[in-house]
Amino acid sequence: MILGLVILGAYSAYKYAYKPHKSINELEVKFSGTSDVFLDKVKEDVSLWQDVVVELTGTITSIDKKGITIDSSIYCQLETATAVEALKEKQTITIKGRMIGYDDLLEEIKLDKTIIK
């Protein structure tokens, strides 16, 4: 009886600690708009936007193997590298991603788990 409770407790703790991560599609968007407006909001108070999911519209200014830069101020690390090949600079897109940081010296926001809408 006690052994059964211990096993059940250990199994429950394991499932809780190692539950699968939610995909970016399942997470709620806290801000939706243009990249310029979002950059202004982040400059006001960075702490409000840390680890928040956003949906932004902007123009691609550069592309690398792992992601894109929108409007020269938001670097988006894409969830899948294959998506980069279909993109072109000066293309207007809408993305959804999670903010992981802000570099106030370069005035650059970093997003991860980014998908293209």
Side-chain angles (χ1 to χ4, degrees):
M1 177 78 168
I2 295 175
L3 181 61
L5 289 174
V6 169
I7 291 173
L8 181 62
Y11 178 75
S12 297
Y14 173 80
K15 283 298 202 181
Y16 178 77
Y18 294 101
K19 61 184 172 187
H21 297 288
K22 289 186 176 182
S23 104
I24 196 74
N25 283 325
E26 299 174 68
L27 299 175
E28 180 185 351
V29 173
K30 300 287 184 183
F31 175 85
S32 183
T34 66
S35 59
D36 296 332
V37 171
F38 183 63
L39 180 61
D40 291 338
K41 289 188 175 287
V42 170
K43 286 179 185 178
E44 290 173 14
D45 189 357
V46 176
S47 63
L48 293 175
W49 301 102
Q50 194 66 28
D51 203 35
V52 169
V53 177
V54 295
E55 189 172 284
L56 304 173
T57 301
T59 304
I60 299 173
T61 51
S62 70
I63 302 172
D64 65 27
K65 291 180 182 179
K66 294 183 180 180
I68 58 174
T69 302
I70 298 175
D71 296 328
S72 300
S73 60
I74 300 176
Y75 180 76
C76 306
Q77 183 179 3
L78 297 174
E79 197 164 58
T80 58
T82 55
V84 175
E85 290 138 11
L87 302 174
K88 297 178 184 177
E89 288 186 19
K90 299 182 182 175
Q91 176 182 354
T92 300
I93 62 166
T94 300
I95 55 95
K96 182 178 180 183
R98 180 180 63 143
M99 182 176 149
I100 58 171
Y102 173 68
D103 184 340
D104 57 349
L105 183 63
L106 299 174
E107 294 188 349
E108 183 178 76
I109 295 170
K110 292 184 175 42
L111 303 177
D112 76 343
K113 297 184 179 183
T114 306
I115 59 171
I116 298 168
K117 299 294 280 183

